[in-house]
Amino acid sequence: MSAEGPVTALVLAAGLGTRLPGSSPKGLRLLAGEPLFIHSLLAFDRCDRIERLILAVPVAHVATAQQGSRGRLTKPLEVIAGGERRQDSVLFGLQTALNHDPPRSIRGRLVAVHDAARPFPDAELISRTVEMARDKGSAIPVVPVTDTVRQIDPTGTGGRLVDRETLRFAQTPQVARLDWLLEGYRRGAAEGSALTDEGAALELAGRPVVLVPGSPSNFKITTPADLAAAEGILQPQLLLGTCIGYGEDRHPLEEGRPFILAGWVIDERNGPSGHSDADPLSHALVDAILGACGEGTIGEHFPDTDVRWAGAAGLDLLGRAARVASEKGFAVVNVDAVLILDSPRLSPHAAEIRRRIAGALGISSERVSVKGKRSEGLGFEGTGRGVSCRAVALLVRKASA
Ligand code: MG
């Protein structure tokens, strides 16, 4: 009976989730700023008992899901189009798993089927479910029913009490041999039977349904209240993973130089002098972003003594700084910058500058603020000898990091 082969995790995010208001399918709804399915994929990616991942999403969302998972996982992921019902998506996923490594014997292979609506499958739960399925061929995690249960009476009277000791709630991941699951789901498709979970498919195939303890934290998101509870669980982690950075830059002004901010010319003459485009806004933002993720300074990453960076445009360096942050596991939440200068006026150009910065950072313009501050004749900025810029950036650690 024992199954020694590789384990594939099949995460189901193709359902519409009609009890959750909103237009996007449930598995793609955001939790802590990320699609629900990412949380499950990351949990399986971290578990060393899982070898590869399959994600089923509605056909219209395959490309988005592929894009959203890129660079986040260490294990191979295949994104597939799910079906109309859960059982259709499972069958597509099982067939995809079957096509992986075809020379290997199907008998030893396990599939862990998981609903993306459960974003917190912990490593112990995944491990004990896989271990039990290795030994017995199947494992379904269950938790006790803690509320009193009453079977309602269609006539409108009070119904009758049910002994809750005999009841269990079934969770996912439900892990079983690939051949058994295929048997059950194929038979279900042929006979037109409704299969709500892998336990039902195993029963239909006449295979044993083995129970293992589930986990109370592995709850299912069905209503807006469940989503709010999940946000509440992730909130402290979010705060710990939130980092702020600060950057400054200043340049002398020189007659005849263009004044460039984020690649946009705000004045043809009397711009900042320096190597490349001497863009104080982009340079201050680069330092703020690098500072937030503990990555040092613009001079360390892009030294002007290096021929690669000597002529680099500020906006290009900003895009590169955002990639440094992303590779370190951070996403930029928002940036705010102040340019201290008396002329030219910044406000006519602010919208275009914000749009360009937003593009370089891969965030929306609403999350970019750029403003000018007059120096009222004080300091080098007020006497027209130079310009300075101060910037802050807020970064958040992505769920995988
Ligand atoms: Mg500079």
Side-chain angles (χ1 to χ4, degrees):
M1 189 78 78
S2 92
E4 293 301 325
V7 187
T8 299
L10 168 58
V11 174
L12 305 172
L16 292 177
T18 47
R19 277 170 290 184
L20 209 55
S23 53
S24 56
K26 181 158 78 172
L28 282 81
R29 298 296 292 270
L30 297 185
L31 170 61
E34 305 231 67
L36 259 183
F37 67 76
I38 278 281
H39 298 271
S40 293
L41 286 178
L42 290 169
F44 287 103
D45 193 54
R46 280 192 291 263
C47 180
D48 56 12
R49 285 173 172 79
I50 302 296
E51 191 169 275
R52 50 166 83 234
L53 309 160
I54 300 171
L55 171 69
V57 294
V59 63
H61 296 274
V62 170
T64 328
Q66 264 162 347
Q67 217 170 2
S69 326
R70 196 160 295 145
R72 307 294 309 281
L73 305 165
T74 59
K75 292 169 186 167
L77 166 72
E78 190 163 344
V79 183
I80 62 165
E84 203 173 303
R85 299 166 301 170
R86 184 186 186 279
Q87 68 193 79
D88 304 321
S89 299
V90 176
L91 189 50
F92 296 159
L94 296 174
Q95 275 154 353
T96 305
L98 189 60
N99 294 335
H100 291 152
D101 312 312
R104 296 202 206 180
S105 158
I106 182 178
R107 286 179 49 108
R109 293 165 60 188
L110 297 175
V111 179
V113 184
H114 183 70
D115 293 319
R118 296 182 188 272
F120 306 123
D122 56 87
E124 291 77 29
L125 170 71
I126 299 172
S127 297
R128 70 174 166 266
T129 314
V130 168
E131 285 317 302
M132 182 63 87
R134 276 207 194 290
D135 194 28
K136 307 282 186 195
S138 81
I140 310 288
V142 292
V143 289
V145 173
T146 50
D147 290 342
T148 296
V149 182
R150 185 167 281 276
Q151 184 171 41
I152 53 167
D153 188 328
T155 63
T157 54
R160 64 173 189 91
L161 277 174
V162 178
D163 180 10
R164 69 180 175 209
E165 295 305 318
T166 65
L167 299 175
R168 295 291 182 273
F169 288 124
Q171 300 185 326
T172 64
Q174 300 194 358
V175 188
R177 284 172 46 164
L178 174 57
D179 54 347
W180 289 4
L181 288 173
L182 272 168
E183 230 177 288
Y185 278 101
R186 279 175 177 162
R187 184 181 287 190
E191 294 175 2
S193 324
L195 301 173
T196 53
D197 69 352
E198 290 56 64
L202 291 166
E203 257 173 29
L204 190 63
R207 300 296 183 176
V209 174
V210 180
L211 305 182
V212 290
S215 163
S217 64
N218 180 37
F219 66 92
K220 186 175 181 179
I221 292 178
T222 308
T223 65
D226 300 330
L227 196 57
E231 291 279 2
I233 287 167
L234 291 174
Q235 215 93 71
Q237 294 173 33
L238 276 182
L239 195 59
L240 286 173
T242 305
C243 297
I244 192 162
Y246 176 72
E248 265 199 49
D249 196 31
R250 55 194 69 192
H251 285 263
L253 294 177
E254 188 183 314
E255 193 60 42
R257 288 263 310 187
F259 201 136
I260 295 170
L261 296 174
W264 178 252
V265 179
I266 67 163
D267 193 358
E268 293 294 346
R269 57 197 173 77
N270 206 30
S273 71
H275 66 90
S276 71
D277 60 359
D279 173 352
L281 172 61
S282 298
H283 294 172
L285 284 167
V286 168
D287 261 348
I289 287 167
L290 294 176
C293 61
E295 273 294 316
T297 67
I298 186 168
E300 288 162 24
H301 275 269
F302 314 110
D304 53 18
T305 49
D306 185 326
V307 288
R308 277 180 304 163
W309 314 122
L315 193 64
D316 177 45
L317 297 184
L318 185 57
R320 288 173 187 274
R323 284 197 286 282
V324 168
S326 175
E327 276 158 25
K328 225 182 157 188
F330 286 93
V332 178
V333 178
N334 76 310
V335 295
D336 185 19
V338 190
L339 272 141
I340 300 163
L341 78 170
D342 279 11
S343 71
R345 283 184 62 235
L346 192 64
S347 51
H349 307 282
E352 176 62 24
I353 290 168
R354 287 172 56 213
R355 195 186 65 75
R356 285 162 173 264
I357 292 171
L361 297 179
I363 58 179
S364 69
S365 291
E366 295 89 76
R367 292 173 179 270
V368 177
S369 161
V370 176
K371 57 218 185 237
K373 184 77 186 166
R374 292 173 59 83
S375 197
E376 310 296 351
L378 298 172
F380 65 87
E381 301 101 328
T383 52
R385 285 182 292 142
V387 56
S388 63
C389 182
R390 289 151 202 191
V392 287
L394 188 70
L395 270 58
V396 65
R397 202 175 275 281
K398 295 184 280 197
S400 64

